[in-house]
Amino acid sequence: MADIIQLLPDHVANQIAAGEVVQRPASVVKELLENSIDAGANTIKLIIKEAGKTLIQVIDNGKGMSVTDARLSFERHATSKIKSAEDLFNLNTKGFRGEALASIAAIAHVELKTKQEADDIGTQIKIEGSEVVSQDPVVIPKGTSIAVKNLFYNIPARRNFLKSNTVELRHIIDEFHRVTLAHPSISFSMHHNGSELFNLPESNNRQRIVNTFGGKTNEKLVPVEEVTEVLKISGFVGKPEFARKTRGEQFFFVNNRFIKSSYLNHAINAAFEGLLRDNTHASYFLYLEVDPQTIDINIHPTKTEIKFDDEHTLYAILRSAVKHSLGQFNIAPILDFERDSNLDTPYNYQGKSAHTPHVEVDRGFNPFVDEKPKSTVASSSMSFKKEPVASWESLYVGLESKGNEVSGNFSEVQFETDEMTSSMFDEEETKKIQKTFQLHNKYIVNTIKSGMLVIDQNRAHQRVLYEDFLQQITVKEAVSQQLLFPLELKFSNTEVVIIKELQSQLEQTGFVFSKLDNEAIEVSGIPVSVKESNINAILEQIISDVENDVPDNNHFSQSDLLAKSLAKSLAIKNGNRLTIPEQEHLVNSLFACKEPSISPTNRTTFITMKVNDIDKKFN
Ligand code: ADP
Ligand code: MG
């Protein structure tokens, strides 16, 4: 039989390598920024269009390349950074594999302009899918500019796999932060679709963190310093009371390179043990320095994982250094979690004992006679008008939106509603046979012809709200409640970017933003089903959902994610008592849904138990 093995042509080999090196636009950003740093630049500008799908450009004032080097830089295994395998263990550059530019050029349209200081004229090269299209002299200042256009233009499967612009931009910003935080002495700027997102002047570590994450970050930082023979640590951890539900701000840098390490992350968690509220994560910005001989960076093409010779020792040193800092800065004793945990989390009103208000029932009350609304209800600070003869629908919304501004009073509000609704419906109710009841303030049991339904109240309500919000976003019919005083909220630049990306969809659900710029958001209108006091938590939840967006096979839809997120934030929690009318309303709304049987996150909303099956148990 004839020989069948052949060497792959270069451009195919490059495309295969690109599969590992370039997963998404953010990977290109990382490689280009790192090349500029290796070129000794002290000013680096990143320009992005459409989350990197149409353009990623990096302009630096580094040492540039000669005419020949400019051409060679796109060859695979072409690098100026190492000469032998031994050099791998004495690295002081970001790159060393010589495959980034070759990979990128195989799957995009690339335009390189570069000039060395001593040269009068620079070089411009255009490459499309590994093929050099042109090479010309060009007049430019010292440095290099690389523009990567139409990424994955020749690999439709990869291009289609890219997520929404919000998500891809988020990944780009993450990479940008990882690089910029590691190099505070270099000044960086980033532009997206023509507007400047970040402008980070040359500074020290602390200033860089504050410039990146916003002014309020400064007060959150606790310094960590430790020098031992094997490891030098500097940097900061976030005070525990500022811990967030998202893992966003967690950074390890080893010899100025951002790395991921779940093992070292564990060391930090161990140091914070007992100091964090449930489901929150401490932020950290830790700069570790080790002897390059004791680590191996070449275990993964993206170079974000490294192998340490002696991980256990590093773990122990790191843990004790962080613990020491938290103790030294008096962080630990200030917190009294027994007392604080409920006060700190307005959205977590579970487990609060109900305080029964004294309510007099007006037995002569007739719901069909027009009268002024009760003062307890009317005292709400919001302009939410309630008709005396309310449909179940509006009763329900009332319960959600009529909240007392003081967090934690949710149960009182409920009791008021409880009394009101029962006085309104008592007469009716007593005539009917009660068809629903609540089990453990968690399940609604409903009798049906063939037996009974057991409905998970939280999941069912999520389904109802999800379909409502999705409808509002797509049909644009939401009503907004105007706030008397616009609500000013503080978010970091990154978070503002996410909100901005979602702005039009949020507005379709009823949000009105009177201001939306770096670090400040002003909300002047909110959806009717939302309480003013919950806005911050809801927006935080949305941001965290966007950040933690798990890759799935379906096409990501922003509207869908937003509807899910809002539904999750606003759904009745387990532990909340519901009146009978509320229970019935929920059951009816659930079965009016398109897909009543599963929650927006694909979990069962109800189960049925047939009388037959129950009969059998009595045999
Ligand atoms: P690596 O960074 O691993 O060496 P790359 O493919 O990223 O591989 O780059 C190849 C070579 O091109 C580098 O070694 C460097 O000599 C040159 N190069 C790339 N980007 C720049 C830049 N911005 N300025 C100067 N030289 C650069
Ligand atoms: Mg490189």
Side-chain angles (χ1 to χ4, degrees):
M1 214 173 131
D3 300 332
I4 51 171
I5 296 179
Q6 52 180 311
L7 278 177
L8 288 173
D10 270 357
H11 69 275
V12 179
N14 285 340
Q15 269 200 17
I16 293 171
E20 285 183 314
V21 182
V22 185
Q23 274 130 19
R24 52 185 358 137
S27 333
V28 175
V29 169
K30 171 184 190 288
E31 295 297 337
L32 297 186
L33 291 176
E34 290 189 344
N35 278 347
S36 296
I37 292 168
D38 286 343
N42 63 19
T43 304
I44 300 175
K45 185 172 174 181
L46 171 64
I47 300 169
I48 300 291
K49 290 217 170 98
E50 283 185 69
K53 292 173 186 171
T54 49
L55 175 73
I56 301 159
Q57 184 173 14
V58 172
I59 305 169
D60 67 50
N61 64 352
K63 66 178 181 233
M65 285 178 262
S66 69
V67 184
T68 328
D69 280 355
R71 180 64 199 82
L72 258 182
S73 67
F74 291 101
E75 294 296 326
R76 203 140 65 97
H77 307 307
T79 180
S80 56
K81 298 169 195 176
I82 57 169
K83 291 196 169 62
S84 68
E86 283 86 69
D87 294 344
L88 280 177
F89 296 93
N90 199 10
L91 283 171
N92 46 29
T93 52
K94 306 272 132 194
F96 53 84
R97 297 170 61 108
E99 59 186 4
L101 289 187
S103 301
I104 294 166
I107 50 165
H109 297 161
V110 179
E111 212 179 288
L112 163 81
K113 291 179 193 170
T114 187
K115 188 182 90 73
Q116 290 178 312
E117 180 131 56
D119 297 342
D120 294 330
I121 296 278
T123 311
Q124 170 173 341
I125 298 183
K126 287 187 187 167
I127 298 192
E128 295 182 0
S130 296
E131 292 220 355
V132 180
V133 180
S134 66
Q135 175 157 1
D136 301 296
V138 66
V139 180
I140 49 154
K142 167 206 164 195
T144 303
S145 154
I146 301 187
V148 177
K149 295 176 186 163
N150 309 321
L151 189 65
F152 297 131
Y153 79 100
N154 52 357
I155 316 181
R158 294 296 293 276
R159 192 162 176 96
N160 294 338
F161 189 73
L162 293 177
K163 301 258 178 165
S164 72
N165 285 1
T166 316
V167 173
E168 293 302 340
L169 180 62
R170 176 68 213 168
H171 284 291
I172 291 178
I173 293 175
D174 280 348
E175 288 299 351
F176 181 75
H177 285 165
R178 291 167 179 178
V179 173
T180 57
L181 288 168
H183 297 275
S185 60
I186 299 175
S187 90
F188 289 94
S189 64
M190 172 174 171
H191 295 252
H192 183 237
N193 290 342
S195 56
E196 185 175 76
L197 293 189
F198 295 96
N199 188 345
L200 307 170
E202 177 190 342
S203 63
N204 61 25
N205 281 342
R206 185 171 193 134
Q207 286 166 334
R208 178 55 56 92
I209 295 167
V210 172
N211 289 338
T212 305
F213 295 105
K216 62 177 177 172
T217 317
N218 201 17
E219 58 176 302
K220 300 181 189 174
L221 301 178
V222 182
V224 180
E225 296 288 341
E226 183 73 66
V227 182
T228 70
E229 241 168 62
V230 289
L231 172 67
K232 191 173 155 225
I233 307 172
S234 63
F236 306 89
V237 292
K239 290 181 187 164
E241 67 262 39
F242 294 109
R244 301 273 304 267
K245 286 204 279 181
T246 65
R247 285 179 184 276
E249 296 166 11
Q250 299 190 326
F251 299 88
F252 282 120
F253 302 96
V254 173
N255 298 354
N256 290 333
R257 184 191 301 276
F258 169 83
I259 59 131
K260 292 179 186 159
S261 166
S262 50
Y263 185 68
L264 295 186
N265 178 62
H266 192 276
I268 310 294
N269 288 343
F272 270 92
E273 202 181 338
L275 295 176
L276 295 175
R277 274 177 276 137
D278 279 354
N279 298 323
T280 60
H281 307 278
S283 54
Y284 54 81
F285 311 86
L286 293 167
Y287 300 81
L288 316 186
E289 269 176 57
V290 295
D291 180 348
Q293 305 274 356
T294 66
I295 53 173
D296 187 353
I297 305 166
N298 193 26
I299 56 170
H300 193 271
T302 59
K303 298 165 284 193
T304 44
E305 279 157 54
I306 64 180
K307 207 174 139 302
F308 297 97
D309 279 357
D310 188 1
E311 259 189 343
H312 298 300
T313 310
L314 300 192
Y315 182 104
I317 299 173
L318 196 56
R319 195 187 101 156
S320 81
V322 172
K323 242 188 146 142
H324 179 75
S325 288
L326 290 172
Q328 194 180 22
F329 289 86
N330 252 348
I331 305 299
I334 296 172
L335 291 166
D336 176 354
F337 282 91
E338 288 303 332
R339 185 175 54 76
D340 273 358
S341 57
N342 276 328
L343 296 174
D344 282 354
T345 49
Y347 34 80
N348 182 9
Y349 29 73
Q350 285 180 36
K352 280 192 95 62
S353 61
H355 152 235
T356 318
H358 178 71
V359 180
E360 279 181 20
V361 179
D362 177 5
R363 301 211 174 270
F365 175 71
N366 182 340
F368 300 103
V369 174
D370 226 8
E371 64 159 33
K372 280 190 205 156
K374 286 192 176 184
S375 60
T376 48
V377 177
S379 68
S380 156
S381 65
M382 286 177 193
S383 55
F384 186 79
K385 287 212 190 83
K386 198 182 230 292
E387 297 298 324
V389 185
S391 66
W392 289 123
E393 187 95 38
S394 58
L395 248 183
Y396 201 71
V397 169
L399 167 70
E400 295 277 327
S401 57
K402 166 171 62 51
N404 198 322
E405 250 42 76
V406 185
S407 62
N409 275 354
F410 192 81
S411 32
E412 277 183 19
V413 176
Q414 262 195 303
F415 275 101
E416 287 168 14
T417 318
D418 195 2
E419 286 306 325
M420 223 222 15
T421 52
S422 53
S423 66
M424 276 172 89
F425 293 98
D426 252 349
E427 274 178 89
E428 278 285 304
E429 279 310 311
T430 43
K431 281 183 208 149
K432 275 201 295 184
I433 304 164
Q434 186 181 323
K435 278 188 145 182
T436 67
F437 70 89
Q438 208 183 4
L439 189 68
H440 286 245
N441 291 342
K442 187 173 177 194
Y443 297 108
I444 297 169
V445 182
N446 186 250
T447 49
I448 51 169
K449 249 193 195 151
S450 60
M452 67 177 182
L453 293 174
V454 183
I455 300 167
D456 182 307
Q457 65 185 42
N458 172 263
R459 292 182 193 176
H461 197 206
Q462 282 198 37
R463 164 54 61 182
V464 173
L465 292 173
Y466 167 70
E467 292 198 4
D468 271 3
F469 280 118
L470 212 54
Q471 163 97 358
Q472 288 172 12
I473 296 170
T474 43
V475 186
K476 310 184 179 178
E477 58 168 17
V479 201
S480 169
Q481 46 173 333
Q482 201 66 28
L483 297 180
L484 215 50
F485 302 103
L487 200 63
E488 200 175 312
L489 303 169
K490 279 268 171 199
F491 282 98
S492 73
N493 313 19
T494 327
E495 293 166 332
V496 173
V497 170
I498 295 181
I499 301 279
K500 266 190 182 160
E501 287 285 318
L502 291 169
Q503 185 175 3
S504 68
Q505 277 117 324
L506 281 166
E507 287 177 347
Q508 279 158 26
T509 67
F511 280 94
V512 179
F513 295 97
S514 40
K515 205 164 103 191
L516 188 51
D517 49 41
N518 275 2
E519 288 195 49
I521 296 185
E522 208 176 81
V523 180
S524 59
I526 54 178
V528 276
S529 48
V530 170
K531 280 202 283 181
E532 189 176 344
S533 55
N534 274 352
I535 295 298
N536 209 41
I538 288 170
L539 289 178
E540 253 184 38
Q541 179 71 54
I542 291 170
I543 292 168
S544 123
D545 285 347
V546 171
E547 282 179 343
N548 298 330
D549 167 50
V550 229
D552 51 29
N553 294 327
N554 303 331
H555 262 307
F556 171 84
S557 141
Q558 243 163 247
S559 311
D560 189 68
L561 191 138
L562 180 61
K564 271 186 195 152
S565 183
L566 283 166
K568 188 162 71 185
S569 304
L570 294 170
I572 306 164
K573 304 285 181 289
N574 292 336
N576 280 7
R577 201 159 88 78
L578 299 179
T579 64
I580 290 167
E582 284 162 4
Q583 294 168 26
E584 288 180 342
H585 176 62
L586 180 57
V587 176
N588 291 336
S589 314
L590 177 66
F591 288 98
C593 283
K594 288 197 187 110
E595 274 192 72
S597 58
I598 47 164
S599 77
T601 46
N602 282 332
R603 296 163 83 183
T604 309
T605 51
F606 67 86
I607 52 162
T608 44
M609 280 178 97
K610 298 222 168 77
V611 177
N612 282 350
D613 296 336
I614 299 172
D615 285 347
K616 278 183 208 147
K617 300 222 182 239
F618 286 97
N619 275 340

